[in-house]
């Protein structure tokens, strides 16, 4: 099916008390693995690209790979820009076929964050493209964005409530809640009560950043507290590299590249399937019909974003 907007996808997840796994692929192979995992689990999935990945491959290549994979899949697939900071890059994503974008102005003062998010909503909403915004600062390293532990701070729930009230078209809201990008050095201290408070006061699905290395029980509690999108980046990067290297270590004389990339693919699919199941997304888009070619997403999935 055509790529879908993240907004109805996450509204359905929030209502169904599960989360959609959002993976950060770095190329066609990792995109394909995430979609294949979603198809195998009959779950919706989000492919989210960092700005660094967009700059590396270019908008057209990434959009055409995602579109092709989405069209082959019998489950809803969204193409999302993760941590967009540059309005021009965001505009090009919207024009080229991304079905949702994140404006990350969380390092700016509240009023500036609000104004920038308003500008992105004005570009995105007429094209049925979903928007994610953030308040607070999530620690750790996410590609080119480095937030030192001392600079990281939690989302203020009063600001979150005011922000989302003024921007009711948001598809998803990302509150910094104690998680961090990359592997955790100690036990992460997640502010579950803060998540619950923000979810209740905003009424929006929440995005959980820093999904790599979180204990399973923590992920489940975050979902129960209102998170409907769980971001997994570092984990996929590690499996991408380890899946390849492990095969070569175990078969040092095998110089058939397809054998290496098959092993890498299987490792990525297995990891993505596990995360989709952890998020409770498995079976949410049951295939129907003799060829199982038609999934049954909620009807509101079926309005593709317009990119004219
Ligand atoms: P991890 O790298 O910890 O999986 O975090 C991903 C993320 O939140 C991307 O925005």
């Amino acid at each position: 099916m055509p790529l879908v907007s993240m907004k109805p996808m996450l509204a359905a997840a929030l209502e169904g008390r599960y989360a959609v796994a959002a993976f950060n692929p770095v190329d066609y192979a990792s995109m394909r693995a995430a979609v294949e995992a979603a198809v195998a689990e009959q779950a919706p999935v989000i492919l989210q690209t960092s700005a660094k990945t967009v700059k590396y491959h270019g908008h057209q290549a990434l959009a055409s790979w995602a579109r092709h994979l989405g069209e082959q899949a019998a489950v809803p697939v969204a193409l999302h820009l993760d941590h967009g900071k540059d309005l021009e890059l965001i505009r090009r994503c919207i024009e080229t076929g991304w079905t949702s974008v994140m404006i990350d102005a969380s390092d700016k003062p509240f009023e500036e964050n609000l104004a920038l998010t308003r500008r992105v909503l004005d570009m995105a909403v007429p094209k049925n493209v979903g928007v994610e915004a953030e308040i607070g600062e999530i620690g750790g390293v996410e590609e080119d964005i480095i937030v030192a532990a001392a600079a990281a701070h939690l989302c203020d729930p009063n600001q979150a409530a005011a922000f989302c009230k003024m921007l009711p078209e948001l598809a998803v809201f990302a509150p910094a809640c104690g998680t961090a990008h990359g592997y955790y050095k100690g036990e992460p201290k997640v502010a579950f009560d803060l998540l619950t408070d923000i979810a209740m006061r905003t009424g929006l699905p929440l995005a959980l950043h820093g999904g790599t290395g979180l204990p399973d029980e923590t992920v489940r509690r975050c979902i129960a507290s209102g998170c409907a999108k769980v971001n997994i980046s570092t984990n996929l990067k590690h499996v991408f590299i380890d899946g390849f290297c492990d095969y070569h270590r175990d078969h040092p004389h095998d110089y058939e590249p397809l054998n290496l990339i098959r092993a890498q693919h299987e490792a990525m699919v297995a990891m993505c399937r596990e995360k989709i199941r952890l998020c409770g997304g498995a079976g949410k888009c049951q295939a129907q019909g003799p060829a199982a070619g038609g999934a049954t997403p909620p009807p509101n999935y079926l309005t593709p974003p317009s990119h004219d």
Side-chain angles (χ1 to χ4, degrees), residues 38-225:
V39 170
E41 295 295 339
Q42 299 184 338
V45 72
I46 296 168
L47 304 173
Q48 55 181 17
T49 56
S50 68
K52 192 174 176 183
T53 301
V54 176
K55 286 178 200 154
Y56 184 84
H57 291 290
H59 287 77
Q60 292 292 351
L62 286 168
S64 66
W65 298 339
R67 208 177 290 123
H68 168 74
L69 290 164
E71 273 160 12
Q72 309 297 309
V75 297
V77 178
L79 176 63
H80 176 63
L81 173 71
D82 193 25
H83 292 286
K85 285 186 169 284
D86 170 354
L87 286 193
E88 214 28 60
L89 186 129
I90 292 174
R91 182 190 307 283
R92 280 209 63 204
C93 285
I94 293 170
E95 281 164 3
T96 329
W98 268 249
T99 55
S100 83
V101 290
M102 176 179 186
I103 165 70
D104 175 1
S106 59
D107 55 338
K108 305 271 192 292
F110 179 83
E111 292 299 336
E112 208 178 325
N113 188 351
L114 189 71
L116 282 165
T117 307
R118 177 76 266 157
R119 283 179 68 184
V120 172
L121 280 165
D122 290 345
M123 289 190 245
V125 171
K127 296 190 178 286
N128 195 23
V129 167
V131 176
E132 174 177 345
E134 175 182 328
I135 291 191
E137 276 197 90
I138 297 162
V141 179
E142 178 55 34
E143 309 269 313
D144 288 339
I145 304 168
I146 301 163
V147 179
H153 60 274
L154 298 183
C155 175
D156 173 336
N158 294 326
Q159 284 195 344
F163 188 85
C164 295
K165 195 169 173 208
M166 284 185 271
L167 304 169
E169 309 98 313
L170 283 174
V172 57
F173 178 67
C177 64
T179 58
H181 295 125
Y183 279 102
Y184 293 90
K185 298 211 171 62
E187 177 83 9
K189 289 194 179 49
V190 179
F192 299 108
D193 291 348
L194 177 70
L195 283 174
T196 308
D197 186 25
I198 293 173
M200 276 175 33
R201 290 172 66 181
T202 63
L204 283 174
L206 304 182
L208 181 67
H209 284 248
T212 297
L214 277 182
D216 289 359
E217 198 38 44
T218 305
V219 174
R220 286 192 202 99
R221 277 188 73 186
C222 289
I223 296 169
S225 307

Side-chain angles (χ1 to χ4, degrees), residues 22-26 30 48-50 82 142 231-233 236-237:
F23 298 105
N24 289 56
V26 293
S30 41
Q48 55 181 17
T49 56
S50 68
D82 193 25
E142 178 55 34
N231 290 4
I232 298 141
S233 173
L236 183 59
K237 289 180 185 174

